[in-house]
Amino acid sequence: MAEFTLNGRTKIKTLKADFKKNFGACLRVYKNVSCKGAFADDDATLASIRAEGAKGGELVVKGNMQVGNFEKKIAELYGIGVQVANSDDSKLADNSVTLVAAGK
């Protein structure tokens, strides 16, 4: 099964590349939890853009995790917003599908 681990030292560009490689879907990473405004800088680490008060830590991302649960977990751990999009990044994935299904 496709999976990878991320932590505060993970760069945004690495997170997006690992996500695409493992699940075939695209990941949009924002500077804030509301997913409005600017995208996060690709060279930033998760810890460097983590919201004040967010606990950080390590997360194992598995392919059978639902899109909505993944987005919620990232918001809880890092205080940033992410959106899962389909393989060509043209539309957002439904929150009820798995990460693997989102990339198909």
Side-chain angles (χ1 to χ4, degrees):
M1 173 177 293
E3 70 176 60
F4 68 98
T5 303
L6 57 98
N7 59 44
R9 293 184 307 274
T10 305
K11 285 192 174 192
I12 301 303
K13 65 182 170 190
T14 305
L15 169 60
K16 295 194 302 192
D18 286 349
F19 195 86
K20 179 78 171 173
K21 183 179 86 178
N22 282 280
F23 310 126
C26 293
L27 188 65
R28 301 174 187 178
V29 183
Y30 298 85
K31 287 185 178 179
N32 59 49
V33 77
S34 68
C35 295
K36 298 203 179 353
F39 287 108
D41 181 10
D42 277 347
D43 287 324
T45 64
L46 286 172
S48 72
I49 63 170
R50 185 174 71 212
E52 196 171 316
K55 61 184 175 186
E58 192 169 276
L59 175 65
V60 177
V61 184
K62 297 186 178 189
N64 62 353
M65 185 182 277
Q66 288 186 330
V67 168
N69 291 341
F70 170 72
E71 292 173 352
K72 196 179 307 175
K73 195 71 174 164
I74 295 290
E76 286 171 14
L77 279 176
Y78 301 107
I80 60 172
V82 295
Q83 293 275 281
V84 177
N86 61 357
S87 60
D88 64 356
D89 204 11
S90 61
K91 68 177 187 160
L92 295 178
D94 188 286
N95 282 346
S96 63
V97 302
T98 65
L99 295 175
V100 168
K104 293 184 178 173

